[in-house]
Amino acid sequence: MAGRPSGRPPGLRHRPRDVPQPDQLERRLAGLLPVGHTALRRPLHDGFAALSADWSTLRTPRARFWSTGDGLRLQLRPERLGERTTPSLLARPQEQPDCDVSTELRFTPAAPDEQAGLAVVLDDDAHLLLLHSTEGLSLRQGPHVLARVPVPPGPVRLGVRIRGFRHTFAYAASEGAWQDLTTVEATFLTPLFTSVQLGLYATSNGRPSTNQAHFPWFDITYPSRQ
């Protein structure tokens, strides 16, 4: 399979042509979770005083592209997801089928090619990206823009509510209320040998850049089971 965060075993390069129905996929996802993770997990709040061992990169980077201490800062680099390279992506495993993920992004794109935001990643070819650029916020699946909305300058919060394969992406400007952008039935994010990864991403899409994306915090919470 295409590249995955470093330290994880590789999978198959091609998925079966016979794709299971969503209810079968839900059961498959639940069955793939490690035994120790079937209990409800504690909420996570990471202020990035340092980078914990739970975060990983896609392949081994040649040079460090991040810094911590005052939140997480990612250097915008030409590398991008969808190529067999090591993009500016830090990610951690999704440990439950249902979770709520959020972060704050402080980023001023200096050119149309500069993007940064929240990533839900299975591999190079299967991912969803909620990105801030000069055009506002956009949800992307590979080269396809699924939704777009303008946002005012300044900090923006980014989030996704994951319920199995249903992903509802949302945003909030500064201290404003959360607003849903769109919902995607992401059955293409079917884990085979490794879990889906949740992370933070920045790219200058093939062009040199000295810009950085600043993420002061990253949260994961888990809904109560009824």
Side-chain angles (χ1 to χ4, degrees):
M1 187 178 283
R4 297 176 182 276
S6 61
R8 269 65 174 187
L12 303 175
R13 285 191 173 275
H14 302 287
R15 289 183 175 74
R17 293 185 178 182
D18 296 328
V19 179
Q21 295 301 309
D23 60 334
Q24 296 174 309
L25 292 171
E26 298 283 356
R27 292 195 295 271
R28 177 182 295 180
L29 176 61
L32 284 171
L33 288 173
V35 173
H37 292 170
T38 55
L40 190 63
R41 306 287 288 176
R42 291 184 177 180
L44 165 78
H45 175 77
D46 197 335
F48 299 108
L51 195 67
S52 79
D54 293 322
W55 293 93
S56 59
T57 61
L58 190 63
R59 306 182 184 89
T60 303
R62 294 182 179 180
R64 182 167 170 163
F65 55 77
W66 67 90
S67 64
T68 57
D70 177 26
L72 175 71
R73 296 179 186 270
L74 295 182
Q75 174 66 49
L76 272 71
R77 299 158 57 241
E79 292 82 358
R80 55 194 159 195
L81 271 168
E83 301 173 339
R84 294 343 185 229
T85 60
T86 304
S88 294
L89 169 73
L90 288 173
R92 57 189 301 139
Q94 178 185 336
E95 297 179 323
Q96 294 277 4
D98 298 348
C99 62
D100 299 331
V101 183
S102 59
T103 188
E104 180 181 315
L105 171 62
R106 299 179 182 179
F107 171 58
T108 302
D113 296 307
E114 296 190 348
Q115 302 171 336
L118 186 63
V120 182
V121 180
L122 181 61
D123 56 36
D124 285 307
D125 303 315
H127 49 263
L128 289 167
L129 305 174
L130 181 59
L131 299 177
H132 182 26
S133 70
T134 56
E135 297 181 328
L137 278 180
S138 60
L139 179 65
R140 297 172 179 265
Q141 180 186 344
H144 307 293
V145 177
L146 306 183
R148 178 177 283 143
V149 64
V151 291
V156 61
R157 286 172 286 152
L158 310 175
V160 58
R161 298 191 305 275
I162 302 175
R163 302 295 183 268
F165 289 96
R166 180 179 291 265
H167 292 60
T168 299
F169 288 86
Y171 66 97
S174 188
E175 296 300 321
W178 283 98
Q179 301 182 61
D180 287 351
L181 178 60
T182 192
T183 297
V184 179
E185 291 290 346
T187 53
F188 60 90
L189 296 176
T190 306
L192 297 176
F193 293 94
T194 63
S195 68
V196 172
Q197 306 287 309
L198 308 170
L200 304 171
Y201 172 66
T203 182
S204 54
N205 283 294
R207 297 183 179 274
S209 175
T210 59
N211 206 355
Q212 291 184 334
H214 181 200
F215 300 90
W217 50 266
F218 178 89
D219 286 357
I220 303 178
T221 60
Y222 302 96
S224 300
R225 295 175 177 172
Q226 302 298 324

